[in-house]
Coordinates of all heavy atoms in Angstrom, one line a residue:
H351 N 2.4 4.9 -26.0 CA 1.0 4.4 -25.8 C 0.5 4.6 -24.4 O -0.4 3.9 -24.0 CB 0.9 2.9 -26.1 CG 1.6 2.6 -27.4 ND1 1.4 3.3 -28.6 CD2 2.6 1.7 -27.7 CE1 2.2 2.7 -29.5 NE2 2.9 1.8 -29.0
A352 N 1.1 5.6 -23.7 CA 0.7 5.8 -22.3 C -0.8 6.0 -22.2 O -1.5 5.4 -21.4 CB 1.4 7.0 -21.7
A353 N -1.3 6.8 -23.1 CA -2.7 7.2 -23.1 C -3.6 5.9 -23.3 O -4.5 5.6 -22.6 CB -3.0 8.2 -24.1
F354 N -3.2 5.1 -24.3 CA -3.9 3.9 -24.6 C -4.0 3.0 -23.5 O -5.1 2.6 -23.1 CB -3.2 3.2 -25.8 CG -4.0 2.1 -26.4 CD1 -5.0 2.3 -27.3 CD2 -3.9 0.8 -25.9 CE1 -5.7 1.3 -27.8 CE2 -4.6 -0.2 -26.4 CZ -5.6 0.0 -27.4
S355 N -2.9 2.7 -22.8 CA -2.9 1.8 -21.7 C -3.6 2.3 -20.5 O -4.5 1.7 -19.9 CB -1.4 1.5 -21.3 OG -0.7 1.1 -22.4
S356 N -3.3 3.6 -20.1 CA -3.9 4.1 -18.9 C -5.4 4.3 -19.1 O -6.2 4.1 -18.1 CB -3.2 5.4 -18.4 OG -3.6 6.5 -19.2
M357 N -5.8 4.7 -20.3 CA -7.2 4.9 -20.5 C -8.0 3.5 -20.5 O -9.0 3.4 -20.1 CB -7.5 5.6 -21.8 CG -7.1 7.0 -21.6 SD -7.0 7.8 -23.2 CE -5.7 9.0 -22.9
R358 N -7.3 2.5 -21.0 CA -7.9 1.2 -21.0 C -8.1 0.7 -19.6 O -9.1 0.1 -19.3 CB -7.0 0.2 -21.9 CG -7.7 -1.1 -22.2 CD -7.0 -1.8 -23.3 NE -5.7 -2.2 -22.8 CZ -5.4 -3.2 -22.0 NH1 -6.4 -4.0 -21.6 NH2 -4.2 -3.5 -21.7
A359 N -7.1 1.0 -18.8 CA -7.1 0.6 -17.4 C -8.3 1.2 -16.8 O -9.0 0.6 -15.9 CB -5.8 1.0 -16.7
R360 N -8.6 2.4 -17.1 CA -9.8 3.2 -16.5 C -11.1 2.7 -17.2 O -12.2 3.2 -16.7 CB -9.6 4.7 -16.8 CG -8.7 5.3 -15.8 CD -8.3 6.6 -16.4 NE -7.0 7.0 -15.9 CZ -6.8 7.7 -14.8 NH1 -7.9 8.1 -14.1 NH2 -5.6 8.0 -14.3
G361 N -11.0 2.0 -18.2 CA -12.3 1.5 -18.8 C -12.9 2.6 -19.7 O -13.9 2.5 -20.3
T362 N -12.2 3.7 -19.8 CA -12.7 4.8 -20.7 C -11.8 4.8 -21.9 O -10.8 5.5 -21.9 CB -12.8 6.2 -20.1 OG1 -11.4 6.4 -19.6 CG2 -13.7 6.2 -18.9
L363 N -12.1 4.0 -22.9 CA -11.2 3.9 -24.0 C -11.4 5.0 -25.0 O -12.6 5.2 -25.4 CB -11.5 2.5 -24.7 CG -10.4 2.1 -25.7 CD1 -9.1 1.9 -25.0 CD2 -10.9 0.8 -26.3

Side-chain angles (χ1 to χ4, degrees):
H351 315 309
F354 188 86
S355 310
S356 77
M357 287 166 210
R358 193 165 61 81
R360 277 160 207 270
T362 56
L363 192 63

